[in-house]
């Protein structure tokens, strides 16, 4: 359907100053300035240069991505309908609500239209602010209407430039996190360069602009930077309060902008739980972070009109269970090694049982089924039995929800990122294991003696947090490709931090008996600079070629379809079809839909499966009855789905429907023995023959090379 063709006719102070560093490194740093005044000037100069570089690299990344988007689609020159079609699948659905708010006569009428929406799902009134994470579209539409900018910028540009602006914040937050961990802004610069040179694996914002993760990940990066700073010891009370405020605001905004927030923060809560159990983080600070997660999520729940999926999330149950289990096991961190290990295993068991118990109770009280498809998918994905569930198989067959492809590591290795990451990860894991074993081996009083010496040298709390964070999110990315963007961006931060960290180099040089403070200084600055020079030499020409390559959006069949719908169908007409296409129909024409791509509702999933019988082997009268039960006036059939070849046999949409319906699949290959031959031919193929059983119910009113539109009879 959508394709791209060649365009025709267009040729800080050092951030670790507050930290208690190693004695040797402190002496080395104190040798640089000749006096306290000079040292203060050096600190101010370093902060000024580092901060300026952070802002510049963020802005340049934003401009770079925006330019790629413009060059790829010729966005400034194409028609409005083509711009809207370029927002594919659920992206178009989300943008349609921004457009809807702008077209409303007043803001209050716009709000009312979102709260009492009857066009997104036919014959049903939906509170979109409750169901979907679209407050960002509401906020932007209000800004656009209130600010005096209508004469200077089009609504669509205001929208996309906001998203590209968030990318500047994203890169700056990654830069700052790496700077905080290593103590030098050179680390942040390397992290930003790695983020850009690995753009294919770190972001997809330039071609999926309105996607929820593009809104959420910048706030997630800010949250990680704030937590990294918060976990440092000896913070002043004011700094600690301001940091907690930053963590809360970023956590709240992250949760508000992405429906998968609870799963990401559950991983984060697991990081805190692991480190707290091993006494590698201050317990008081961990409690604050648990509380912020709960408070932020509950506030989002209130704003989303008490969305039951949030209340029934595993995150809320887990955090409550951890806090309860702590009260029950007050002496968890005392005793001998075996005693503490036994208490730790018991603690883990108590938390797990409490989490499952609370979650089941909450779901039964709320009668919650919105997220059951995710657990069916996970059960089948990790080999706990095959499933014929249509929703689970729909996820399993999508490449984005499959395992991370091996060629990802080849691309990451070309920029040296993967090699550096493995190097730093190996050293920090060794240090973490040593510290964890030491913590479990000594009593609380004995540990306090080590915390003033080797413990802080071995692994700082903020380093430990980022280490477990990158490991858990790495496992998530390896298992589900769509989540790689959480891992790869943090991979840039973690690898660059390690190469610029005096602690990492000290541990390595001590292991190989080459320790010397001067060598540490040389290694932590020379290697990052050499890598930066290598990245500039190898990738700069390619980036310039990429910026000079001009193409344009080209999808005449979809444009023709949208124009036909606008000109030849009633405004209140109801359309059925694939989820992805109907999102575009909603955006471009404003017609009412039977289903859409926001799949986090059990009744919508059932409705989608019923509508998709147009691609199954069903009788025309059965399909007509199903479609009419949703008030359908027109149905759109796509050849790309009916004759799909993109997926292998067993994963084509028609195969998933056949299996769910108990029918044998088409084509050569094996079928399960209990599957039977269907009593009818495939609907999407047979309807094109215009035979009487079909023409009695359906009349073709539009056709091109890609789409076939049929009007449903009302008197059957």
């Amino acid at each position: 359907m959508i394709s791209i063709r060649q365009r025709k006719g267009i040729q800080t102070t050092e951030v670790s100053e507050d930290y208690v560093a190693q004695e040797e490194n402190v002496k080395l740093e104190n040798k640089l300035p000749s006096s306290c005044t000079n040292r203060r000037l050096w600190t101010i100069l370093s902060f000024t240069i580092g901060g300026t570089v952070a802002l510049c690299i963020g802005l340049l990344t934003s401009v770079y991505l925006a330019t790629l988007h413009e060059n790829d689609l010729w966005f400034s020159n194409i028609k409005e309908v083509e711009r809207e079609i370029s927002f594919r699948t659920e992206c178009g659905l989300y943008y349609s609500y921004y457009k809807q708010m702008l077209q409303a006569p007043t803001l209050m009428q716009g709000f009312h239209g979102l709260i009492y929406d009857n066009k997104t799902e036919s014959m049903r009134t939906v509170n979109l602010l409750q169901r979907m994470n679209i407050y960002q579209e509401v906020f932007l539409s209000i800004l656009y209407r209130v600010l005096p900018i209508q004469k200077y910028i089009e609504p669509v540009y205001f929208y996309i430039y906001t998203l590209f602006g968030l990318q500047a914040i994203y890169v700056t937050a990654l830069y700052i996190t790496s700077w905080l961990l290593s103590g030098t802004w050179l680390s942040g610069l390397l992290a930003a360069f790695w983020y850009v040179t690995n753009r294919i694996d770190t972001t997809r914002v330039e071609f999926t602009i309105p996607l929820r993760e593009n809104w959420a990940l910048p706030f997630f990066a800010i949250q990680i930077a704030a937590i990294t700073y918060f976990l440092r010891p000896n913070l002043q009370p004011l700094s600690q309060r301001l940091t907690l405020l930053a963590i809360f605001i970023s956590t709240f905004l992250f949760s508000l902008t992405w429906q998968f927030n609870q799963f990401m923060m559950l991983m984060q809560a697991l990081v805190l739980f692991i480190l707290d159990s091993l006494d590698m983080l201050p317990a008081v600070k961990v409690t604050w972070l648990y509380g912020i997660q709960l408070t932020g999520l509950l506030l989002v729940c209130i704003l989303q009109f008490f969305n039951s999926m949030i209340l029934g999330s595993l995150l809320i149950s887990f955090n409550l269970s951890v806090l309860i289990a702590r009260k029950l096991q007050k002496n968890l961190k005392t005793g001998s090694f075996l005693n503490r290990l036994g208490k730790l295993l018991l603690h883990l068991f108590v938390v797990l049982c409490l989490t499952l118990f609370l979650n089941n109770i909450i779901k039964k009280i709320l009668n919650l089924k919105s997220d059951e498809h995710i657990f069916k998918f996970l059960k089948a994905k990790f080999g706990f039995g095959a499933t014929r569930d249509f929703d689970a198989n729909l996820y399993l067959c999508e490449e984005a929800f499959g395992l991370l492809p091996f060629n990802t590591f080849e691309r990451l290795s070309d920029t040296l990122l993967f090699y550096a990451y493995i190097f730093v990860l190996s050293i920090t894991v060794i240090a973490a294991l040593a510290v964890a074993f030491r913590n479990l081996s000594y009593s609380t009083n004995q540990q306090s003696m080590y915390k003033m010496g080797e413990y802080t040298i071995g692994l700082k709390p903020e380093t430990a947090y980022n280490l477990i964070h990158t490991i858990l999110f790495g496992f998530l990315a390896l298992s589900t490709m769509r989540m790689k963007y959480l891992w790869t961006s943090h991979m840039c931060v973690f690898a660059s931090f390690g190469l610029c960290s005096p602690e990492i180099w000290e541990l390595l040089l001590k292991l190989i008996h080459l320790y010397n403070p001067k060598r540490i200084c040389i290694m932590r600055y020379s290697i990052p600079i050499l890598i930066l020079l290598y990245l500039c030499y190898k990738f700069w020409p390619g980036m310039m070629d990429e910026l000079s390559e001009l193409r344009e959006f080209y999808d005449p069949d979809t444009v023709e379809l949208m124009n036909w719908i606008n000109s030849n169908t009633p405004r209140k007409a109801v359309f059925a079809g694939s989820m992805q296409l109907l999102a575009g129909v909603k955006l471009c024409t404003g017609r009412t839909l039977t289903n859409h791509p926001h799949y986090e509702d059990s009744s919508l999933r059932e409705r989608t499966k019923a509508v998709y019988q147009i691609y199954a082997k069903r009788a025309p009268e059965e399909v007509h009855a199903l479609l009419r039960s949703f008030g359908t006036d027109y149905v759109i059939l796509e050849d790309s789905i009916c004759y799909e070849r993109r997926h292998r046999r067993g994963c084509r949409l028609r195969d998933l429907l056949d299996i769910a319906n108990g029918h044998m699949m088409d084509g050569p290959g094996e079928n399960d023995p209990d599957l039977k031959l269907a009593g009818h031919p495939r609907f999407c193929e047979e309807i094109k023959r215009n035979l009487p059983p079909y023409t009695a119910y359906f009349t073709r009113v539009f056709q091109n090379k890609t789409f076939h539109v049929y009007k449903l009879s009302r008197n059957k």
Side-chain angles (χ1 to χ4, degrees):
M1 279 172 46
I2 296 176
S3 63
I4 302 297
R5 67 178 183 184
Q6 193 67 32
R7 189 182 301 178
K8 297 180 180 179
I10 300 292
Q11 301 296 4
T12 127
T13 127
E14 297 292 344
V15 181
S16 61
E17 287 295 326
D18 295 334
Y19 208 95
V20 180
Q22 303 170 49
E23 184 177 350
E24 295 87 346
N25 291 327
V26 170
K27 290 179 180 179
L28 181 63
E29 294 293 334
N30 287 339
K31 290 178 182 177
L32 293 176
S34 59
S35 67
C36 186
T37 302
N38 289 338
R39 185 179 180 185
R40 189 178 295 111
L41 290 173
W42 176 262
T43 293
I44 294 171
L45 179 63
S46 176
F47 178 83
T48 303
I49 295 174
T52 303
V53 171
L55 294 175
C56 290
I57 200 74
L59 289 172
L60 286 173
T61 303
S62 175
V63 172
Y64 171 62
L65 294 172
T67 304
L68 288 179
H69 174 259
E70 167 64 25
N71 290 356
D72 202 40
L73 300 177
W74 204 4
F75 201 75
S76 61
N77 191 69
I78 58 178
K79 300 175 182 177
E80 187 66 21
V81 66
E82 293 176 311
R83 290 177 180 176
E84 293 178 348
I85 292 171
S86 71
F87 297 137
R88 303 167 184 146
T89 63
E90 68 262 42
C91 297
L93 184 69
Y94 297 132
Y95 183 78
S96 72
Y97 301 123
Y98 170 73
K99 180 180 176 181
Q100 181 178 325
M101 281 291 292
L102 291 179
Q103 291 178 343
T106 65
L107 285 175
M108 291 307 298
Q109 286 177 295
F111 271 114
H112 187 273
L114 294 179
I115 296 173
Y116 300 98
D117 180 273
N118 53 18
K119 296 180 75 67
T120 301
E121 295 176 22
S122 59
M123 303 182 71
R124 182 182 295 166
T125 299
V126 179
N127 184 343
L128 296 171
L129 294 178
Q130 179 188 52
R131 179 84 71 80
M132 303 182 191
N133 298 71
I134 58 169
Y135 270 102
Q136 50 267 51
E137 276 75 23
V138 173
F139 177 71
L140 272 194
S141 64
I142 293 172
L143 274 184
Y144 188 79
R145 294 180 68 141
V146 171
L147 297 176
I149 57 176
Q150 290 86 350
K151 294 181 180 179
Y152 309 105
I153 185 171
E154 298 175 56
V156 66
Y157 277 109
F158 183 67
Y159 186 91
I160 66 173
Y161 286 166
T162 300
L163 267 299
F164 288 126
L166 280 175
Q167 283 296 301
I169 295 174
Y170 190 17
V171 173
T172 303
L174 297 177
Y175 181 110
I176 291 172
T177 303
S178 188
W179 185 359
L180 286 167
L181 287 168
S182 67
T184 173
W185 57 262
L186 180 64
S187 170
L189 182 62
L190 180 57
F193 263 67
W194 262 331
Y195 179 87
V196 175
T197 53
N198 291 281
R199 174 179 56 82
I200 294 175
D201 296 300
T202 55
T203 183
R204 50 179 175 168
V205 66
E206 73 270 21
F207 57 90
T208 58
I209 295 175
L211 209 62
R212 302 299 84 179
E213 68 190 50
N214 296 329
W215 285 96
L217 292 185
F219 300 120
F220 192 55
I222 293 172
Q223 186 219 42
I224 293 171
I227 290 175
T228 299
Y229 185 75
F230 175 68
L231 292 176
R232 300 168 75 182
N234 306 321
L235 285 182
Q236 295 297 321
L238 179 60
S239 296
Q240 184 163 299
R241 286 194 292 269
L242 290 175
T243 307
L244 282 170
L245 179 63
I247 295 171
F248 172 74
I249 293 173
S250 55
T251 300
F252 167 70
L253 292 175
F254 170 69
S255 303
L256 189 66
T257 51
W258 197 11
Q259 69 268 29
F260 292 143
N261 61 74
Q262 54 182 286
F263 303 106
M264 303 307 104
M265 289 204 295
L266 177 62
M267 300 291 287
Q268 197 174 55
L270 287 172
V271 173
L272 298 173
F273 175 72
I274 292 169
L275 294 174
D276 182 37
S277 299
L278 296 174
D279 201 27
M280 296 172 74
L281 292 182
V284 174
K285 292 189 175 183
V286 172
T287 303
W288 271 107
L289 294 175
Y290 282 140
I292 285 175
Q293 281 192 337
L294 285 170
T295 306
L297 207 58
L298 289 174
L299 183 56
V300 171
C301 181
I302 293 170
L303 284 175
Q304 290 192 297
F305 296 82
F306 297 95
N307 186 323
S308 60
M309 190 172 175
I310 294 177
L311 293 173
S313 67
L314 276 173
L315 175 65
I316 288 180
S317 301
F318 178 79
N319 283 10
L320 289 175
S321 300
V322 171
L323 295 174
I324 293 170
R326 267 184 172 185
K327 294 294 183 182
L328 297 175
Q329 294 176 281
K330 294 183 179 180
N331 298 320
L332 182 65
K333 299 177 181 179
T334 58
S336 63
F337 176 78
L338 291 178
N339 192 0
R340 288 197 62 180
L341 189 61
K343 289 180 180 179
L344 187 60
L345 293 175
L346 177 61
H347 183 61
L348 178 62
F349 178 75
V350 170
V351 169
L352 179 63
C353 291
L354 266 176
T355 300
L356 295 176
F357 174 75
L358 286 175
N359 195 249
N360 283 327
I361 291 294
I362 293 171
K363 286 185 175 180
K364 285 183 179 179
I365 293 173
L366 299 175
N367 192 27
L368 179 63
K369 297 181 180 179
S370 297
D371 57 355
E372 62 181 0
H373 65 298
I374 296 175
F375 295 104
K376 288 179 182 177
F377 157 71
L378 292 174
K379 181 180 177 181
K381 182 179 179 67
F382 294 111
F384 296 104
T387 181
R388 289 184 179 176
D389 182 76
F390 175 76
D391 302 318
N393 284 328
L394 199 61
Y395 279 104
L396 285 170
C397 288
E398 282 300 320
E399 184 182 3
F401 292 94
L403 299 177
L404 189 67
F406 185 76
N407 60 11
T408 304
F409 302 106
E410 294 177 357
R411 291 192 299 271
L412 296 174
S413 299
D414 285 342
T415 63
L416 304 182
L417 171 59
F418 188 65
Y419 298 129
Y421 177 75
I422 294 299
F423 166 72
V424 176
L425 186 67
S426 301
I427 294 174
T428 48
V429 164
I430 291 171
L433 291 174
V435 171
F437 180 77
R438 182 190 305 140
N439 289 352
L440 293 176
S441 299
Y442 296 94
S443 67
T444 304
N445 291 333
Q446 288 174 311
Q447 283 181 39
S448 62
M449 297 171 60
Y450 286 94
K451 287 182 181 180
M452 297 304 295
E454 291 185 51
Y455 174 72
T456 51
I457 294 173
L459 205 67
K460 300 174 183 178
E462 64 267 35
T463 303
Y465 169 78
N466 281 275
L467 169 64
I468 307 301
H469 176 100
T470 198
I471 289 174
L472 291 190
F473 279 83
F475 283 124
L476 182 65
L478 291 171
S479 65
T480 308
M481 189 188 78
R482 183 175 178 178
M483 298 303 171
K484 74 174 180 179
Y485 303 101
L486 288 158
W487 184 43
T488 49
S489 58
H490 193 265
M491 188 187 290
C492 300
V493 170
F494 198 76
S496 60
F497 134 73
L499 295 182
C500 297
S501 170
E503 290 82 13
I504 298 298
W505 287 113
E506 181 193 359
L507 181 58
L508 178 64
L509 293 176
K510 281 184 175 179
L511 286 174
I512 59 177
H513 305 290
L514 292 174
Y515 172 73
N516 184 292
K518 291 183 179 179
R519 286 198 184 102
I520 292 176
C521 188
I522 292 170
M523 298 296 282
R524 70 182 293 223
Y525 289 112
S526 62
I527 290 181
I529 290 173
L530 289 174
I531 293 176
L532 284 169
L533 292 174
Y534 166 78
L535 294 176
C536 290
Y537 172 77
K538 183 170 183 180
F539 294 98
W540 183 261
M543 291 171 66
M544 292 301 101
D545 290 341
E546 196 175 30
L547 288 173
S548 64
E549 187 176 356
L550 304 177
R551 291 173 291 193
E552 65 175 315
F553 177 87
Y554 185 71
D555 188 5
D557 290 350
T558 307
V559 171
E560 184 184 12
L561 172 66
M562 298 304 171
N563 288 335
W564 180 88
I565 293 174
N566 273 320
S567 303
N568 297 277
T569 64
R571 291 288 299 173
K572 294 184 178 180
V574 178
F575 278 78
S578 68
M579 295 183 289
Q580 295 80 2
L581 179 62
L582 289 184
V585 171
K586 173 75 168 61
L587 171 58
C588 298
T589 72
R591 300 305 190 263
T592 305
L593 314 180
T594 55
N595 54 305
H596 54 81
H598 195 273
Y599 217 52
E600 278 67 55
D601 180 74
S602 57
S603 61
L604 177 65
R605 292 194 294 271
E606 294 172 3
R607 177 183 282 222
T608 298
K609 182 181 175 182
V611 170
Y612 275 9
Q613 297 305 310
I614 58 179
Y615 297 109
K617 299 171 182 176
R618 300 290 291 268
E621 60 271 17
E622 293 176 333
V623 174
H624 181 271
L626 283 171
L627 295 177
R628 285 302 301 162
S629 68
F630 307 125
T632 307
D633 298 308
Y634 298 88
V635 59
I636 307 173
L637 296 172
E638 300 171 63
D639 286 346
S640 59
I641 298 179
C642 189
Y643 306 106
E644 181 186 357
R645 294 190 180 125
R646 184 169 66 95
H647 290 102
R648 68 183 187 277
R649 184 177 185 270
C651 266
R652 300 168 299 190
L653 180 61
R654 60 181 186 269
D655 297 336
L656 302 183
L657 291 164
D658 289 344
I659 293 171
N661 293 338
H663 298 155
M664 296 177 67
M665 294 181 288
D666 294 337
E670 296 183 357
N671 286 284
D672 290 342
D674 60 328
L675 295 178
K676 301 177 182 179
L677 285 170
H680 301 278
R682 193 166 303 282
F683 177 83
C684 63
E685 295 176 359
E686 198 70 9
I687 192 175
K688 295 171 187 174
R689 297 176 60 189
N690 289 324
L691 298 176
Y694 292 84
T695 56
Y697 295 96
F698 302 92
T699 303
R700 184 161 57 199
V701 291
F702 174 83
Q703 176 184 2
N704 63 21
K705 291 184 294 183
T706 305
F707 304 104
H708 304 262
V709 181
Y710 293 86
K711 185 175 182 180
L712 278 68
S713 62
R714 290 176 172 270
N715 58 347
K716 297 294 180 181

